[in-house]
Amino acid sequence: MKEQNYELALEKYDKAIEIYDTNAVYWCNRAAAKIYLGKYMSAADDCNMAIALDPKYVRARERLASVYRHLEMPEEQEKVLRGEQDSSLEFTLLEIRATLPSCFPPLKV
């Protein structure tokens, strides 16, 4: 993304996630491309997925806070930065994941 070709970066991360969808870094980096493209709600979804995959991944929380800043949601931004984010989303994502075919590698939680 150093060349600032965010559409291309988005395509590349889409493909990477198709191959290895349990990599939190891929989700977080795709969120970054979406933030630059102004796709904030979709970026928030990607950040939340990255956090669900790796709850200790600080960069995903920072990016999620950035999304909330762009959406002018300072209360949510502060919650994320303080680590007070609603953890129910993590369980929802894990429940969805459990219904997927067994051809996917297990989540590391």
Side-chain angles (χ1 to χ4, degrees), residues 11-70:
E11 290 175 26
K12 298 287 186 183
Y13 283 114
D14 284 344
K15 289 179 183 177
I17 289 169
E18 283 179 28
I19 295 167
Y20 189 51
D21 67 343
T22 58
N23 186 312
V25 174
Y26 293 165
W27 288 94
C28 188
N29 288 350
R30 185 171 78 170
K34 290 178 179 181
I35 290 168
Y36 283 107
L37 294 169
K39 299 178 180 184
Y40 302 121
M41 296 307 293
S42 184
D45 291 341
D46 285 358
C47 289
N48 281 317
M49 181 59 107
I51 293 166
L53 292 169
D54 185 355
K56 295 180 182 179
Y57 187 29
V58 175
R59 187 67 183 126
R61 292 182 189 279
E62 291 171 345
R63 287 221 168 104
L64 183 57
S66 175
V67 168
Y68 288 137
R69 182 177 48 81
H70 285 287

Side-chain angles (χ1 to χ4, degrees), residues 1 3 5 11 18 20 24 34-35 47 49 54 58 68 77 79-80 84 87 93 95 98-100 102 105 107 109:
M1 289 194 316
E3 296 176 20
N5 190 343
E11 290 175 26
E18 283 179 28
Y20 189 51
K34 290 178 179 181
I35 290 168
C47 289
M49 181 59 107
D54 185 355
V58 175
Y68 288 137
Q77 179 184 4
K79 282 182 187 177
V80 170
E84 299 171 2
S87 63
L93 292 172
E95 289 168 7
T99 65
L100 294 176
S102 61
L107 284 177
V109 180

Side-chain angles (χ1 to χ4, degrees), residues 64-108:
L64 183 57
S66 175
V67 168
Y68 288 137
R69 182 177 48 81
H70 285 287
L71 294 173
E72 298 180 8
M73 299 173 69
E75 296 86 12
E76 294 301 318
Q77 179 184 4
E78 284 192 34
K79 282 182 187 177
V80 170
L81 291 174
R82 289 185 186 153
E84 299 171 2
Q85 181 185 11
D86 182 7
S87 63
S88 64
L89 176 65
E90 293 176 23
F91 295 109
T92 302
L93 292 172
L94 293 175
E95 289 168 7
I96 292 169
R97 178 66 182 199
T99 65
L100 294 176
S102 61
C103 61
F104 293 102
L107 284 177
K108 298 174 187 173

